[in-house]
Amino acid sequence: MIIQPPYLCASCARVMPLPRKRSLRGFTLVELIMVMVVLAGVMAIAAPSLNKFFRNSALNDEARRIVGLIEMARHEAIQRVPHAGVV
């Protein structure tokens, strides 16, 4: 059956809308907004944990640096002078 403009309905006397071809590529605006909302929620939950992780990481790095300085002073004291200290 060939449908000619203005797309009249065969069983009724009204004009039918044009058939739309739905594109299979891409996302709708609603889908993109929903993904953004979900990501924002996940980030809001994860942000405090990440902040705590970075604070603890900086603290551990500083502790390792101090231990390294003390070990270096000990090594110098053993090799050179009996009175080496950390300043």
Side-chain angles (χ1 to χ4, degrees), residues 66 69-78 81-87:
I66 291 171
L69 286 173
I70 292 171
E71 288 175 356
M72 185 179 70
R74 179 177 178 266
H75 180 72
E76 288 291 320
I78 290 171
V81 254
H83 302 291
V86 177
V87 178

Side-chain angles (χ1 to χ4, degrees), residues 2-81:
I2 298 174
I3 299 177
Q4 299 282 334
Y7 300 103
L8 292 174
C9 177
S11 63
C12 58
R14 63 186 177 109
V15 176
M16 299 292 291
L18 289 174
R20 290 188 177 190
K21 287 186 178 181
R22 183 173 171 122
S23 175
L24 298 177
R25 297 180 347 190
F27 300 102
T28 65
L29 182 60
V30 173
E31 290 170 333
L32 292 174
I33 290 173
M34 290 305 297
V35 168
M36 296 292 284
V37 167
V38 169
L39 286 176
V42 169
M43 290 176 67
I45 291 170
S49 297
L50 284 174
N51 191 17
K52 184 178 178 182
F53 170 76
F54 288 130
R55 265 197 330 254
N56 287 342
S57 178
L59 182 62
N60 287 338
D61 288 344
E62 196 62 28
R64 284 189 199 103
R65 189 180 72 80
I66 291 171
V67 167
L69 286 173
I70 292 171
E71 288 175 356
M72 185 179 70
R74 179 177 178 266
H75 180 72
E76 288 291 320
I78 290 171
Q79 286 204 351
R80 290 193 202 178
V81 254

